[in-house]
Amino acid sequence: MTDAAHSSWPAVELDPVRRLKVMASATKHPTFAERHFGAAFDELWSVASDLEHELPHLVPGLRSFTITSSEGDRLSGRAVGTLGHREHFDVVLRPGWCLMQSKILTSGMAAMPDGDGSRFAFFSSLRLPGGQALDRVRRTRSAQRHEELLDRLEQRVETRSGPGDAE
């Protein structure tokens, strides 16, 4: 192909939330939740991206998350569930973007400034064989859990920003 042929391809720039939605739709059996927050992007993302201190408050069943190594925006972490299950995660963490993957789970968060606040999205997807059958059982509960995660995030942002600072 000539250079002229390459230049005729359309270019599309996706904001982090739309990019996360595309990533979620490309995975098997995703659940996805998105919400507008009254908090400024920096306030919201400082809570959401604080994986070690805030993730256990946000994700039900997660006792702890420990960063085990980091190199630039690439991290490794160990999640420990409330029942003691341990899982290793590879993580990409950038401003407004977090993608996490283990042997059994892919999840992500994205945020961006939006009007007088911020837009935030979260998704998760099981990577297990037989995920389709398991997904039928978990889909309703997962959607509810994602909404609960967004509620907890909103509470954590309000707690960290102090009284009177949140919407």
Side-chain angles (χ1 to χ4, degrees):
M1 284 190 179
T2 66
D3 286 336
H6 282 79
S7 66
S8 65
W9 284 93
V12 177
E13 293 292 324
L14 297 177
D15 63 58
V17 172
R18 287 187 179 140
R19 187 169 28 135
L20 190 70
K21 190 177 269 190
V22 169
M23 295 275 308
S25 68
T27 64
K28 292 182 179 184
H29 325 298
T31 52
F32 182 89
E34 180 179 340
R35 182 180 294 172
H36 180 271
F37 286 82
F41 169 80
D42 290 339
E43 291 174 6
L44 177 67
W45 194 247
S46 71
V47 174
S49 65
D50 187 353
L51 302 179
E52 288 188 313
H53 299 103
E54 294 294 341
L55 206 55
H57 292 290
L58 302 176
V59 177
L62 181 64
R63 182 187 322 157
S64 66
F65 189 87
T66 305
I67 303 297
T68 56
S69 69
S70 66
E71 187 174 319
D73 62 2
R74 307 286 176 154
L75 313 171
S76 292
R78 182 181 63 250
V80 179
T82 53
L83 299 177
H85 174 75
R86 297 174 189 281
E87 191 74 23
H88 169 81
F89 280 86
D90 293 318
V91 180
V92 176
L93 181 62
R94 299 177 184 135
W97 182 258
C98 179
L99 192 61
M100 303 174 68
Q101 185 166 287
S102 74
K103 288 181 183 177
I104 64 170
L105 181 72
T106 298
S107 65
M109 302 182 289
M112 58 179 277
D114 184 35
D116 61 347
S118 304
R119 179 139 306 275
F120 180 86
F122 178 85
F123 97 95
S124 66
S125 174
L126 289 176
R127 304 179 67 216
L128 297 171
Q132 186 174 6
L134 185 58
D135 185 56
R136 279 187 240 122
V137 174
R138 88 182 228 336
R139 181 166 293 278
T140 300
R141 181 65 184 131
S142 289
Q144 181 182 358
R145 282 183 153 197
H146 284 15
E147 288 300 322
E148 291 168 359
L149 181 144
L150 295 177
D151 291 343
R152 283 190 294 279
L153 176 58
E154 191 163 34
Q155 292 168 356
R156 299 297 298 173
V157 170
E158 288 174 2
T159 298
R160 282 185 43 171
S161 65
D165 293 342
E167 180 180 73

